[in-house]
Every structure is written in C-alpha cells, then in structure tokens.
Amino acid sequence: MIRALQMIFSPEGEWLKTAEKNRHFLFVLFFSTIPLLVGAVGLELLGIRKFGEGLDEFGKVMVPDPVLIKYGVTQIILQLGFLFGGGWFLLSVARSFNAPATFSQAFNTLAIGASPIFLVRALDGLPMLYTWLCWGIGVGLSIRALYHRSEEHT
C-alpha cells in the first residue's frame, strides 16, 4: 500500500526506484501487489459489512458474510487475472516494437501503474460514493503515474 501511495503523490521518484531495483515479477506480486489487493478488498468489504450496499432510492441492503467473502475472493482473482493478462499483452506490444522486454518488466509496470486503482477501490465500501467515481479517481491517478513513467523515457 505504501508503494501505491507513493505512486499517487510522487510517481517520478517511485518509477526511478522501481527501475533501479528491477525486481522479479514474483517479488512484486507477493510483497507488493497481493498485500495491496487483500488490504484494499478487505477495507471495501469492511465498509460494505458495516454500512451496507447502497441502492440509490431503495435505501441500502445489508449483505450476508458468505456473499461478501465470495465477492472478495472473486474480485482478487479477477484483478490478478487482469494483471497477468495485461502483463502478457504489454509484453507482446513491447516485443512488436523490437524492445528487449521481459515479462517481469511488463508485469511490474502494469502492477505498479495500476496500484492507485486498487487502492482507491477501497473507498467503494462507502455507500455514499458511487462505484464509477472510485474507478474514475483511480484511473485518473494511474494515468498520471504512467504519464510520468513514459515522460522520463521519451
């Protein structure tokens, strides 16, 4: 979660540190991405459990715990699928330009660049915030972080 916060407030310095360390994707996955996903989904589920799920003019509905657990596990699996599929796609694009890229570089770029999205999704547990507002803020912050990444390498 700390890296996600650094990507929000200081993406320039975080990209330089990431490039210098050049970690394997398994290191980033197990020590950065999975803890971030579990923490953010856990906060979202805690908010849904405490405040309920808002249904606009119909009020709110209290979601049973088994449904929350299934929702959380499904969300983590789909987000990991997005990262692995996106990493593969990013690697394919890089290789189409004859760039000497590895899967670790592609995965790390996507995982670290998307970390603001995952972090802001924790706010989705608050019924007064619309889901698309959380996604929009997260995507905007990720675009900002990725822009700083591409700006230094042009």
Side-chain angles (χ1 to χ4, degrees):
M1 282 196 197
I2 293 171
R3 181 171 293 167
L5 290 172
Q6 289 172 337
M7 287 305 296
I8 290 172
F9 295 111
S10 161
E12 305 89 5
E14 188 58 31
W15 281 121
L16 288 175
K17 285 188 249 178
T18 301
E20 288 172 2
K21 291 178 183 173
N22 197 20
R23 305 258 191 210
H24 193 268
F25 82 94
L26 290 174
F27 183 88
V28 173
L29 177 69
F30 287 111
F31 292 105
S32 179
T33 306
I34 289 179
L36 174 66
L37 291 176
V38 170
V41 168
L43 287 173
E44 180 183 0
L45 295 179
L46 185 66
I48 293 172
R49 185 170 189 249
K50 183 171 176 68
F51 302 116
E53 181 65 28
L55 297 176
D56 291 332
E57 64 271 356
F58 298 112
K60 61 182 177 177
V61 174
M62 300 310 286
V63 182
D65 287 345
V67 174
L68 284 176
I69 292 170
K70 288 178 187 176
Y71 170 74
V73 169
T74 303
Q75 189 172 357
I76 290 173
I77 290 171
L78 289 174
Q79 289 172 349
L80 287 173
F82 159 74
L83 289 175
F84 280 103
W88 175 80
F89 177 75
L90 190 58
L91 179 63
S92 298
V93 170
R95 286 188 177 161
S96 72
F97 288 101
N98 296 323
T102 64
F103 181 76
S104 287
Q105 292 169 332
F107 181 87
N108 293 350
T109 300
L110 188 61
I112 294 169
S115 61
I117 295 173
F118 300 138
L119 185 63
V120 174
R121 287 274 298 145
L123 297 175
D124 196 27
L126 301 173
M128 66 280 301
L129 291 177
Y130 291 106
T131 300
W132 291 109
L133 178 64
C134 297
W135 275 103
I137 292 170
V139 167
L141 292 171
S142 286
I143 289 171
R144 177 180 177 268
L146 289 169
Y147 173 76
H148 285 289
R149 167 76 171 147
S150 63
E151 184 178 76
E152 293 175 9
H153 295 284
T154 55

